[in-house]
């Protein structure tokens, strides 16, 4: 490929609205351009990388028996109503109408469509298990599109769905896909970890995320160096805390004018935050619910939603506090509150605690669980903290940041039951499919790879994602001898199966070197007059300090032998 004939608009300036290294570099290297918030164009150089990811994913999905399909982006409302998700998905789902006023959505995912396909086409247990996958555009109207293509509204996903006669078969495919994912991300050259994850809106009973380790990652992972436990903090379990000791004192009201936060009341009453019982109102599937957690700890909404089994849950507005507790938020408490109480395990060990009195500007002290209030549910609904004991082995947990690039769910029969999708078992009885689903954010992988592998000069492609293997850079395009050598290299390297980009632009050497570093192609061959006069060219690994002079005749053989080797750090 000749750069003079290529569309590769590199930028010298830092794009002002790019908020991560990868977004900046993808824009600067002419890989993408932004059309509108969360909507991007992929230019040839960027698309080459996307296709590399796609190819690796396809090969590994095929290797575990996946069958590729292609499903529509526009999906009928009726299917989403069958699963109950038309309402549950919320505003992330883009809804539209056709000319007959029939309602549709733009696919944020495809469980409904694929379950419908399989319920129509698969009859018997003999046709199971089945692993179907596709590559396609997904649309999610994200609240905050950001980080370039990492959190876009329109993005490219590989989504796979498996159908089984029983749990054991579902589990074995799930394991197989996790192994395929491990091969995929390894081949992409990523440093990553599979972690236990929350099941979120898709639901189901078991899930893993694949996290690319990067400081700028949006996800926090709690991990244990001792036993290898790793989980998204949305899910990571907290162990019950030791109960406090002491005699229960009679409750009493204290005046706390204007002090509606744990910090403010703690200061006013000179009490530690551990004595507080934070009282937070939610609306879960239309019903008010009150969550309690110890004042020094954070509530975990993901855990709360899972404990409640709620499809839709959000923080309640001030009106709900007024209606249920008769006071402003900040002054609500569990004592004599007529609402469903869900307490974190930490709350039950508090002795002589403090909470709102359900009267504005008043708190209660010396309240004791069991005597003064009795939660309907006691469960683990708090966030783990760094250094908390590991739920498996009790060593201290440490935190790290990650970018979620893949996700696997064991769905059970959630969709097949809701959508009446089943097969005839050995005894001729209709049984719902047991399902799994498995996504990879193909476009996000490209950004994550750059986020993980770059330096001050630009991108440093590693693994199988490099858009080209070699860049050939003649120092002058006017010099016929240099161009002859360049052409010869281009032919030889291409014939040897390497992908070659020739910078044949009539540009100053300095500009070409800067662009070469920005583009991050693993090897650069510089063809210059002085060295060529000695029969030499200069080859340099992207990111390496040193270059080497090699005979023009040997350059191809050397580059072929270096192919696929990891970059020197
Ligand atoms: P997140 O927590 O980052 O929003 P998710 O849990 O909503 O992700 P899934 O529904 O599991 O994501 O989608 C499968 C994969 O699609 C994710 O692992 C991620 O790599 C990718 N993905 C999800 N949302 C986006 C987005 N807005 N832009 C780009 N890729 C995305
Ligand atoms: Mg999401």
């Amino acid at each position: 490929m000749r750069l003079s004939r290529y569309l590769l608009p590199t930028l010298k300036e830092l794009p002002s609205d790019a908020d991560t290294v990868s977004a900046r570099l993808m824009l600067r290297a002419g890989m993408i351009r932004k059309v509108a918030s969360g909507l991007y164009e992929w230019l040839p150089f960027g698309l080459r990388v996307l296709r590399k990811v796609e190819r690796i994913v396809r090969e590994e999905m095929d290797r575990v028996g996946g069958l590729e399909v292609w499903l529509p982006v526009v999906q009928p409302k009726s299917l989403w109503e069958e699963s109950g998700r038309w309402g549950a998905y919320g505003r992330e789902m883009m809804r539209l109408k056709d000319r007959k006023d029939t309602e549709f959505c733009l696919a944020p995912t495809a469980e409904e469509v694929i379950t419908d396909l399989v319920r129509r086409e698969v009859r018997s247990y003999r046709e199971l298990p089945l692993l179907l996958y596709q590559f396609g555009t997904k649309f999610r109207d994200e609240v905050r599109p950001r980080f370039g293509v990492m959190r876009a509204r329109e993005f490219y996903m590989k989504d796979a769905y498996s159908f089984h006669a029983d749990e054991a078969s579902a589990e074995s495919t799930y394991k197989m896909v996790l192994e395929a994912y491990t091969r995929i991300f390894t081949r992409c050259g990523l440093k990553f970890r599979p972690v236990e994850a929350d099941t979120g809106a898709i639901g189901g009973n078991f899930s893993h995320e694949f996290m690319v380790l990067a400081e700028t990652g949006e996800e926090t992972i709690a991990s244990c160096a001792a036993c290898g436990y790793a989980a998204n903090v949305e899910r990571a379990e907290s162990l019950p805390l030791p109960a406090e000791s002491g005699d229960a004192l009679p409750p009493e009201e204290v005046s706390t004018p204007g002090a509606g936060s744990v910090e403010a009341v703690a200061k006013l009453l000179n009490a530690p935050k551990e004595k507080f019982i934070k009282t937070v109102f939610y609306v879960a599937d239309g019903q008010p619910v009150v969550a309690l957690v110890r004042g020094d700890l954070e509530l975990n909404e993901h855990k709360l939603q899972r404990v409640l089994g709620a499809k839709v849950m959000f923080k309640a507005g001030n009106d709900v506090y007024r209606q249920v507790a008769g006071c402003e938020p900040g002054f609500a408490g569990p004592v004599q509150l007529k609402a469903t109480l869900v307490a974190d395990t930490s709350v039950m060990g508090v002795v002589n605690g403090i909470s709102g009195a359900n009267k504005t500007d008043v708190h209660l002290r010396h309240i004791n669980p069991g005597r003064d209030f009795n939660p309907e549910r006691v469960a683990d609904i708090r966030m783990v903290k760094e250094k908390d004991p590991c739920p498996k082995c009790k060593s201290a947990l440490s935190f790290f940041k990650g970018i979620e690039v893949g996700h696997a769910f064991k769905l059970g029969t959630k969709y097949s039951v809701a959508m009446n999708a089943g097969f005839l078992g050995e005894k001729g009885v209709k049984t719902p499919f047991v399902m799994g689903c498995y996504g990879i954010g193909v476009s996000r992988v490209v950004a994550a790879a750059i986020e993980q592998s770059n330096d001050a000069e630009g991108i440093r492609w590693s693994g199988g994602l490099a858009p080209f293997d070699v860049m050939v850079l003649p120092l002058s395009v006017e010099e016929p001898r240099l161009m002859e050598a360049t052409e010869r290299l281009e032919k030889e390297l291409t014939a040897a199966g390497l992908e070659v980009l020739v910078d044949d632009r009539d540009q100053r050497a300095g500009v070409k070197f800067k662009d070469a570093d920005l583009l991050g192609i693993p090897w650069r061959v510089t063809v210059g007059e002085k060295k060529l006069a000695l029969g030499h060219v200069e080859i340099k690994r992207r990111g390496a300090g040193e270059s080497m002079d090699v005979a023009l005749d040997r350059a191809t053989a050397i580059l072929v032998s270096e192919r696929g080797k990891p970059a020197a750090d």
Side-chain angles (χ1 to χ4, degrees):
M1 185 62 66
R2 296 288 175 113
L3 248 188
S4 64
R5 310 290 316 139
Y6 207 58
L7 178 63
L8 190 55
T10 54
L11 304 173
K12 280 195 208 65
E13 303 297 314
L14 291 185
S16 59
D17 62 338
D19 45 9
T20 42
V21 176
S22 56
R24 274 197 292 278
L25 288 173
M26 289 181 80
L27 288 160
R28 282 191 55 212
M31 294 176 68
I32 54 165
R33 286 293 182 261
K34 183 164 154 182
V35 184
S37 170
L39 303 177
Y40 288 86
E41 296 143 336
W42 286 71
L43 277 59
F45 192 70
L47 189 63
R48 269 182 99 90
V49 184
L50 189 81
R51 294 286 179 237
K52 298 253 159 147
V53 181
E54 180 181 336
R55 192 158 91 200
I56 292 171
V57 174
R58 181 176 283 118
E59 282 173 11
E60 295 300 339
M61 290 307 294
D62 288 348
R63 187 128 86 107
V64 292
L67 302 172
E68 189 168 351
V69 293
W70 185 23
L71 307 172
V73 172
V74 177
Q75 304 184 341
K77 173 185 178 183
S78 54
L79 287 180
W80 286 76
E81 278 184 322
E82 280 191 59
S83 72
R85 286 208 297 179
W86 184 259
Y89 218 96
R91 300 185 62 185
E92 224 174 75
M93 188 154 86
M94 183 89 143
R95 296 153 211 256
L96 60 157
K97 286 182 184 167
D98 69 6
R99 65 173 76 205
K100 293 182 198 141
D101 262 355
T102 310
E103 288 186 89
F104 294 86
C105 67
L106 293 182
T109 170
E111 283 80 8
E112 283 74 3
V113 165
I114 198 100
T115 305
D116 177 49
L117 169 70
V118 172
R119 85 175 153 187
R120 281 185 275 117
E121 307 305 333
V122 174
R123 291 271 157 273
S124 149
Y125 71 96
R126 285 191 199 88
E127 298 165 74
L128 300 174
L130 197 56
L131 176 63
L132 300 174
Y133 75 94
Q134 68 161 344
F135 288 93
T137 297
K138 297 286 175 290
F139 193 94
R140 294 183 186 175
D141 201 357
E142 299 276 355
V143 191
R144 285 181 65 201
R146 56 195 166 142
F147 308 149
V149 299
M150 202 111 79
R151 184 164 297 285
R153 293 197 294 170
E154 187 174 312
F155 59 98
Y156 197 54
M157 199 203 278
K158 184 282 301 177
D159 42 330
Y161 307 87
S162 65
F163 295 82
H164 308 270
D166 55 38
E167 279 290 333
S169 162
E171 259 167 48
S172 110
T173 296
Y174 185 90
K175 265 183 69 186
M176 213 167 62
V177 175
L178 288 196
E179 283 160 19
Y181 275 25
T182 300
R183 285 194 292 271
I184 288 167
F185 297 123
T186 305
R187 286 180 64 186
C188 289
L190 298 169
K191 291 186 207 79
F192 68 95
R193 272 190 84 162
V195 307
E196 287 182 20
D198 187 55
T199 46
I202 294 197
N205 46 21
F206 198 62
S207 120
H208 281 87
E209 285 165 348
F210 281 75
M211 297 287 189
V212 165
L213 310 181
E215 269 311 305
T216 49
E218 288 185 283
E219 309 288 338
T220 306
I221 299 131
S223 97
C224 173
C227 74
Y229 173 80
N232 192 317
V233 288
E234 289 173 356
R235 179 191 174 90
E237 286 164 60
S238 303
L239 294 174
L241 298 167
E244 290 184 326
S245 55
D247 296 331
L249 303 171
E252 61 182 29
E253 287 191 357
V254 278
S255 167
T256 52
S261 67
V262 170
E263 285 74 21
V265 184
K267 217 165 148 195
L268 195 71
L269 302 183
N270 194 21
K273 283 186 185 176
E274 296 90 277
K275 282 289 174 197
F276 283 76
I277 296 167
K278 263 197 285 200
T279 308
V280 192
F281 285 37
Y282 287 87
V283 177
D285 292 340
Q287 293 301 314
V289 171
V290 177
L292 307 174
V293 67
R294 214 172 70 177
D296 58 324
L297 304 170
E298 281 298 316
L299 198 74
N300 180 327
E301 294 183 357
H302 299 273
K303 289 182 182 176
L304 176 63
Q305 184 164 4
R306 193 150 16 95
V307 164
L308 294 170
K311 286 204 173 77
V312 185
M313 190 190 90
F314 51 88
K315 265 207 171 103
N318 294 0
D319 53 324
V320 180
Y321 282 83
R322 288 181 201 126
Q323 226 169 48
V324 177
C327 66
E328 292 301 308
F331 300 95
V335 179
Q336 289 178 359
L337 192 62
K338 287 194 182 52
T340 306
L341 298 181
V342 183
D344 180 59
T345 51
S346 61
V347 167
M348 305 313 283
V350 175
V351 174
N352 297 324
I354 303 165
S355 76
N358 299 322
K359 286 183 202 164
T360 301
D361 293 341
V362 182
H363 276 75
L364 272 179
R365 69 174 153 204
H366 304 154
I367 62 167
N368 288 287
R371 182 191 71 184
D372 301 317
F373 65 95
N374 277 302
E376 267 79 5
R377 296 281 301 271
V378 177
D380 167 19
I381 55 166
R382 70 173 185 273
M383 300 294 290
V384 285
K385 295 199 306 314
E386 208 155 6
K387 303 209 176 73
D388 272 358
C390 165
K392 296 277 186 294
C393 79
K394 300 210 165 88
S395 304
L397 290 174
S398 48
F399 280 18
F400 57 90
K401 290 281 180 194
I403 300 166
E404 178 197 323
V405 285
H407 203 167
F409 295 89
K410 242 175 69 196
L411 293 171
T413 55
K414 179 181 156 111
Y415 293 92
S416 51
V417 166
M419 297 180 66
N420 191 22
F423 59 96
L424 294 180
E426 272 177 82
K427 299 202 173 96
V429 179
K430 188 167 174 188
T431 315
F433 296 108
V434 179
M435 289 172 58
C437 78
Y438 320 88
I440 289 183
V442 178
S443 46
R444 185 182 281 184
V445 167
V446 176
I450 297 173
E451 200 64 39
Q452 203 169 59
S453 186
N454 65 78
D455 59 21
E457 272 67 54
I459 305 170
R460 291 174 64 169
W461 294 111
S462 60
L465 300 194
F468 294 92
D469 300 305
V470 183
M471 183 145 186
V472 182
L473 198 155
L475 288 179
S476 160
V477 292
E478 311 274 280
E479 244 353 283
R481 268 165 44 88
L482 296 194
M483 290 316 286
E484 264 165 40
T486 298
E487 227 161 273
R488 175 177 159 194
L489 279 170
E490 184 186 18
K491 282 210 182 96
E492 281 179 12
L493 290 164
T494 308
L498 296 180
E499 291 170 292
V500 186
L501 182 65
V502 176
D503 190 352
D504 62 339
R505 294 174 304 169
D506 191 7
Q507 282 282 7
R508 282 184 295 116
V511 172
K512 291 190 180 188
F513 286 140
K514 270 213 148 50
D515 273 351
D517 280 344
L518 172 62
L519 300 179
I521 295 167
W523 286 96
R524 187 183 80 196
V525 185
T526 309
V527 186
E529 225 165 323
K530 273 192 213 140
K531 287 181 183 164
L532 194 62
L534 305 171
H536 286 166
V537 291
E538 181 190 282
I539 67 177
K540 185 171 181 290
R541 181 80 155 125
R542 171 70 178 90
E546 303 283 303
S547 60
M548 334 178 241
D549 289 348
V550 302
L552 173 63
D553 299 341
R554 292 204 49 234
T556 299
I558 293 172
L559 291 169
V560 168
S561 73
E562 290 291 335
R563 182 192 204 172
K565 285 193 192 161
D569 270 324

